[in-house]
Amino acid sequence: MSSVQQTNSQAIASATTTGIATKKAVENPQDRFLKLLVTQMKNQDPLKPLDNAEVTSQLAQISTVSGIDKLNSTLQLLVSDAENSRSVEASGLIGRNAFVPGTSMVLDGDASIAGIELTQPADQLKVTILDNSGIAIRQMELGAQPAGVSTIAWDGMTDSGAKAANGNYAFAVSAKQGGNDIKVNTLSFGLVNGVSPGEHSALLDMGELGLVSLSDVKEIF
């Protein structure tokens, strides 16, 4: 009997302790501050009481802190909602093709495509196709190109006149305007296989191209 009573007492004590700890954990910071302020006022030196301006300043500080906490909570909710919304939107890209940053091309049959992004128009554009060893097998002069995203196509033919085997290749691009080199971004063409949430943006599973941030997608097909 005494053993049962002892067990019950221990359970009650444990529950009470847990309840107190939980209460302290969820206690409002503003309430804690006010308790400290009241305790400070009760124990102040009668000959040197707290200045009204000091009390007002402390109250203003806790109000500011409380406001910042609420603002942070609201911003976190907004960011979370925005990330979920982007993931839902990105799921609509599954099964579609896209241009994303990269230098790879896949030759399948008689066609392979890639993309470029120019920050300004170019009057000369040269594309070099490279095999797995990094050896140039085809150079194409494409002439003038407008600013923005453009598609480049390769028919699989090499400079020697032979047909290249199907598979993975790389490409490099150089652009000029008025004889001066200009910046050009190379874009790989790939299929969106799936979508997963990322820290700041949805991530697209592009197969051999890897995981690509939704914000890096340049064009959808």
Side-chain angles (χ1 to χ4, degrees):
M1 182 70 176
S2 59
S3 176
V4 174
Q5 290 177 341
Q6 183 178 2
T7 301
N8 289 339
S9 299
Q10 290 175 347
I12 293 172
S14 176
T16 302
T17 303
T18 303
I20 293 173
T22 303
K23 181 179 180 182
K24 287 182 178 181
V26 300
E27 188 176 10
N28 191 305
Q30 190 169 0
D31 292 340
R32 293 201 301 269
F33 173 82
L34 291 175
K35 288 180 180 179
L36 289 173
L37 180 60
V38 170
T39 301
Q40 182 181 5
M41 295 179 70
K42 286 181 178 179
N43 295 280
Q44 65 182 321
D45 187 347
L47 300 178
K48 294 181 180 180
L50 290 174
D51 184 76
N52 289 336
E54 183 180 353
V55 175
T56 302
S57 175
Q58 293 187 35
L59 289 173
Q61 289 176 13
I62 186 58
S63 296
T64 301
V65 171
S66 178
I68 292 175
D69 287 341
K70 292 179 180 178
L71 179 59
N72 287 337
S73 298
T74 302
L75 287 176
Q76 289 175 357
L77 287 174
L78 290 175
V79 170
S80 178
D81 288 344
E83 291 177 349
N84 291 335
S85 177
R86 284 194 292 268
S87 295
V88 171
E89 292 176 0
S91 64
L93 301 180
I94 297 176
R96 301 185 64 179
N97 293 297
F99 273 152
V100 297
T103 59
S104 62
M105 297 181 75
V106 178
L107 179 62
D108 184 10
D110 297 327
S112 178
I113 66 171
I116 57 169
E117 182 182 33
L118 292 169
T119 56
Q120 64 184 82
D123 53 26
Q124 296 180 49
L125 188 81
K126 182 171 74 173
V127 178
T128 302
I129 309 297
L130 310 167
D131 64 14
N132 290 331
S133 300
I135 299 175
I137 60 173
R138 177 71 185 274
Q139 290 190 343
M140 301 182 293
E141 297 285 349
L142 301 185
Q145 298 292 325
V149 176
S150 299
T151 300
I152 56 177
W154 175 41
D155 60 6
M157 299 303 297
T158 66
D159 287 336
S160 65
K163 179 73 168 62
N166 289 344
N168 297 323
Y169 294 84
F171 72 104
V173 182
S174 62
K176 294 181 180 292
Q177 176 61 263
N180 298 317
D181 292 333
I182 61 174
K183 181 176 176 57
V184 54
N185 297 319
T186 56
L187 306 172
S188 292
F189 181 79
L191 177 69
V192 180
N193 298 308
V195 176
S196 60
E199 184 176 355
H200 301 294
S201 177
L203 298 176
L204 307 182
D205 178 3
M206 303 286 291
E208 293 186 357
L209 298 180
L211 294 176
V212 179
S213 173
L214 177 62
S215 59
D216 288 334
V217 173
K218 300 300 180 180
E219 193 167 315
I220 301 293
F221 299 88

